[in-house]
Amino acid sequence: MPDISVTARVEQVYREDSRRILATLIRLLGDFDLAEEAMHEAFFVAVERWQRDGVPDNPRAWLVSTGRFKGIDVLRRRARFAASKPLLIAQLEALEQADWSDEDVEDDRLRLIFTCCHPALAADAQVPLTLREVCDLTTEEIARAFLSAPATIAQRIVRAKAKIRDAKIPYQVPTLAELPERLDSVLRVIYLVFNEGYSASVGAEVTREELTREAIRLGRLLLQLLPESEVMGLLALMLLHASRRRARTSADGELIVLDEQDRTLWDAQMIAEGCALVEAALSTGRFGPYCLQAAIAAVHAEAPTAGETDWQQIVGLYDVLLAAVPSPVIELNRAAAISRRDGPLAGLVLVKAILDRGDLQDYHLAHSARAEFCRQLGRVEEARTAYERALELTQQMPERRFIEARIRALK
């Protein structure tokens, strides 16, 4: 029987480092599926070897080396039967002679993101592929985030992997000259990774801290690489949202809405860093949607209490953001801000207009907003109907319990 402590250590390393290990194996082996197979083989071997020999000083490097040799073994077996034997032999020789350092691992996930977001790949495949390979989200979790069928997402991922292999898309960070045109899709991917961590689409917990932490780390790496205003804006936005993490749930894991959060639990260091990045980004005069969203988050962060929030300034920022990036989700957020400035009826009119034209019908937060405005206006049955629709669309357990409590409280 494997030692429980060793098994637990292997599981811990998998949780914390499997995506870094996979990214490095993809670089070394040049094949997504082979790298994933080799990584899982390495973890399987680790359970037995670490039990016998002890946990190595650098588990990540041990797993990369073991996975690399497992991948080489697979290629050797293929070379015995493949018609393209000379090519495989050349690939094997290159792999066996290649040097690698554990220091390279830290940059491999950034290389992997740029590979997954390569312009040769279909736009609708870039984000799902990155979320699957970089962040280990399941196909089902990605499908929920995109309001798509799991089979559709799976097909996009398979096609993208084949394109990378067949087109020999390089596994590298673009040159400085290429970076700006490649930046938008990378920023979008990092923010989606963060959002899945900040507000998990499914599961028993509100947040997945490892994803928010990884998205912020990737944002910092990207800022070192390309100190542009929108990179600053995205990093600021993530820091300002992440600063509220400890206040977003109660001790027993229940959801706490923004107005009711204990602001003394907000991370002052993250807020200071985020606000400084917002100022630096806005001072360039070249700012886009991430800078504007970060500016909105900064207004919230700087308010000593919920009642002292400058809703007029927030509405003004949403006006600019909506003009720059027309989006029903931004409209919804603007409606929520207007309701705080002008009252729940003003918010309800705007949300009803969004839903009546067919937008956000499957977005639970739109129905939750409508329910909340109706509740504040005393429209009990309308509120109940909207809350029940939101509940149907919600997969996260704390959110479900929050909505159920709202329904029970309706008089």
Side-chain angles (χ1 to χ4, degrees), residues 136-181:
D136 201 22
L137 270 67
T138 67
T139 304
E140 289 73 19
E141 287 171 331
I142 300 167
R144 288 192 190 99
F146 281 86
L147 304 178
S148 299
T152 301
I153 295 298
Q155 288 172 356
R156 291 175 186 172
I157 292 171
V158 168
R159 284 197 296 266
K161 286 181 180 179
K163 179 73 172 181
I164 290 169
R165 182 189 65 241
D166 297 342
K168 294 182 172 54
I169 290 173
Y171 184 81
Q172 63 188 30
V173 176
T175 65
L176 284 175
E178 297 171 318
L179 265 177
E181 66 183 28

Side-chain angles (χ1 to χ4, degrees), residues 197-313:
Y198 183 72
S199 185
S201 57
V202 295
E205 297 180 357
V206 173
T207 61
R208 296 175 62 182
E209 187 183 358
E210 72 280 6
L211 288 183
T212 59
R213 186 171 59 244
E214 186 60 28
I216 289 170
R217 190 188 75 82
L218 290 170
R220 292 190 193 282
L221 279 174
L222 194 59
L223 185 60
Q224 291 173 12
L225 201 64
L226 191 68
E228 289 288 332
S229 58
E230 275 293 82
V231 183
M232 294 180 204
L234 175 60
L235 180 56
L237 179 60
M238 294 189 296
L239 288 167
L240 290 165
H241 282 324
S243 71
R244 308 175 197 155
R245 183 184 63 82
R246 287 195 302 149
R248 293 184 65 226
T249 55
S250 64
D252 54 359
E254 296 306 313
L255 184 66
I256 301 175
V257 294
L258 181 62
D259 281 2
E260 298 171 8
Q261 289 175 12
D262 179 356
R263 298 188 178 214
T264 64
L265 296 176
W266 289 6
D267 189 314
Q269 186 175 346
M270 278 187 170
I271 290 172
E273 184 182 358
C275 289
L277 282 166
V278 170
E279 290 181 15
L282 295 178
S283 69
T284 67
R286 306 184 310 278
F287 49 84
Y290 292 111
C291 290
L292 291 167
Q293 290 176 79
I296 292 167
V299 176
H300 282 294
E302 291 172 336
T305 66
E308 295 174 87
T309 304
D310 188 344
W311 291 108
Q312 179 64 37
Q313 186 179 2

Side-chain angles (χ1 to χ4, degrees), residues 72-92:
I72 289 171
D73 287 343
V74 170
L75 290 174
R76 278 202 190 99
R77 290 195 296 271
R78 290 179 186 173
R80 293 193 193 111
F81 306 103
S84 57
K85 186 173 180 178
L87 292 175
L88 277 171
I89 290 173
Q91 184 182 358
L92 275 167

Side-chain angles (χ1 to χ4, degrees), residues 21 26 67 74 124 129 142 149 154 166 215 258 270 291 342 365 371 408:
I21 292 164
I26 291 171
V74 170
D124 63 1
L129 178 65
I142 300 167
D166 297 342
L258 181 62
M270 278 187 170
C291 290
D342 301 338
L365 292 179
R408 287 194 301 270

Side-chain angles (χ1 to χ4, degrees), residues 21 28 54 102 134 167 179 204 301 347 365 377 400:
I21 292 164
L28 293 172
D102 190 46
V134 178
L179 265 177
L365 292 179
L377 292 166
R400 290 185 63 83

